[in-house]
Amino acid sequence: QVQLVESGGGLVQAGGSLRLSCAASGSIFSINDMGWYRQAPGKQRELVADITSGGSTNYADSVKGRFTISRDNAKNTVYLQMNSLKPEDTAVYNCNAKVLVKGPIVVAREYWGQGTQVTVSS
């Protein structure tokens, strides 16, 4: 019913930048919170940053001052600008969206993107 498609991952040297995008499509009535999570090998998935429909943001301490989350509500898209990347930022990054889905009735659902690999070399 709703799909999240991510793009923008890749390989970058330490100190470099990447911008991730995640576009939602399908039977969308509205989208509440959108966010980015990451999971490194052998570690639990962690929240990187999230943003409400009104634009309020929240960041993990480890990325504050380096990453910026934003969204374009008209395009149902969330972005993650990642600057000053460190090797410890290497992980699979997934976007997440809490969506009100159109149907005979509007229902709340949570969706995940397929993941995009970010690798930061030292």
Side-chain angles (χ1 to χ4, degrees):
Q1 288 178 315
V2 174
Q3 299 80 38
L4 302 182
V5 178
E6 299 151 350
S7 60
L11 173 64
V12 65
Q13 287 189 331
S17 298
L18 284 173
R19 188 189 193 214
L20 305 183
S21 300
C22 173
S25 63
S27 301
I28 298 170
F29 180 80
S30 67
I31 303 177
N32 295 327
D33 295 355
M34 301 185 81
W36 289 95
Y37 290 72
R38 67 186 181 186
Q39 187 168 20
K43 295 188 177 181
Q44 289 189 330
R45 184 166 60 190
E46 62 174 353
L47 172 69
V48 177
D50 58 18
I51 183 168
T52 68
S53 57
S56 296
T57 58
N58 176 52
Y59 294 92
D61 288 343
S62 60
V63 306
K64 283 180 181 176
R66 299 189 298 121
F67 291 10
T68 302
I69 190 170
S70 60
R71 64 190 282 176
D72 184 333
N73 290 331
K75 296 181 178 179
N76 291 328
T77 299
V78 63
Y79 306 96
L80 185 69
Q81 178 66 44
M82 305 185 292
N83 298 329
S84 302
L85 282 160
K86 304 175 180 180
E88 52 263 43
D89 295 318
T90 295
V92 175
Y93 286 69
N94 291 88
C95 70
N96 172 275
K98 296 176 175 61
V99 181
L100 294 181
V101 181
K102 290 189 288 188
I105 59 171
V106 174
V107 295
R109 292 284 185 266
E110 185 174 15
Y111 293 91
W112 293 89
Q114 79 282 3
T116 186
Q117 177 70 45
V118 171
T119 302
V120 185
S121 62
S122 57

